[in-house]
Amino acid sequence: MFTKLKIFLEMIKFEHSVFALPFAFMGAILGSVVWQGHLPSWAQIGWITLAMVGARTAAMALNRVIDQAIDKRNPRTENRAIPAGLISIPQVILYIIISFAVLFWATYHLSALSMKLLPIAVFFLVIYSYTKRFTWTCHFVLGLTLGLAPLGGWIAVTGEFTWSSIIFFLTVACWSAGFDLIYACQDAEFDRKEGLHSLPSRFGIKAALHTARVLHVLTAIGLVSLFFITHLSWLYLVGLVIAYILLFKEHRLVTPQDLSKLNTAFFTMNGVLSLVMFTFTLLDVLVSKHS
């Protein structure tokens, strides 16, 4: 059982929860401090963590089940757990059911609005894996799905929408769609041959990387706008400068002629960026609170 669990966690890249989870925490902290004047409780943080882990685990596992035939034909993914026969479909489905149950259970203990909006979140978690079968805008659907992390964290502690939460949602959506475009470049030729839809396969790698740069410029604008609308201080700006450097470095690592450093650009840079923004936001709030 533990061996299968290990295989499952490796299959869904559990460690990549670092992409969205820090932004969910950041949304909870900003929403709670800005609109309620205090930090979220440890109980709220705990339930948000469970909800995020459940959501991402269910979504990634579903993606692996839905894409099993495609993964088997793709040289890059043919050794993933399902096509390699390391784990069975019924076993993965069991984990999906457990993950959705954790998501529902955790959301129930958060705000009433979180529970009402849960069906929308589940819809995006499920539909994303099908979008590349009929539209090259699949990257933007993923962006909107990951953008739900900060929005969900915000609503979980405040129980309401605000313009600030919408801006944060759109900012993370642009960031996520941008890095997914970069990641999709490595499969452009395969997608074209298989009749799958992606922006790189439809318009070319150069256009995809240019679009990713535009999306990350919008991300930079969104992050700095949060500084003004949430009244954060210089510590947040320090984190912002580091994030900008990471985004710039990410786009320097990948060119249409050289995708050899794509994994570093995708995994390392974006994982560090989310942790940096959360850490400096938390430090900013803590310092301001005790000054």
Side-chain angles (χ1 to χ4, degrees), residues 101-122:
V102 169
L103 171 61
F104 296 152
W105 181 51
T107 305
Y108 175 79
H109 289 85
L110 294 167
S111 70
L113 184 58
S114 296
M115 200 64 189
K116 291 178 182 177
L117 296 176
L118 182 59
I120 297 175
V122 171

Side-chain angles (χ1 to χ4, degrees), residues 263-278:
N263 282 333
T264 300
F266 176 72
F267 297 118
T268 307
M269 295 298 176
N270 290 295
V272 172
L273 185 148
S274 62
L275 287 172
V276 164
M277 289 309 306
F278 164 68

Side-chain angles (χ1 to χ4, degrees), residues 146-160:
L146 291 182
L148 293 174
L151 183 61
W154 193 296
I155 292 173
V157 298
T158 65
E160 59 181 333

Side-chain angles (χ1 to χ4, degrees), residues 16 18 40 44 50 93 148 180 201 222 234:
H16 294 163
V18 73
Q44 287 174 319
L50 281 177
I93 290 175
L148 293 174
D180 189 61
S201 66
W234 66 271

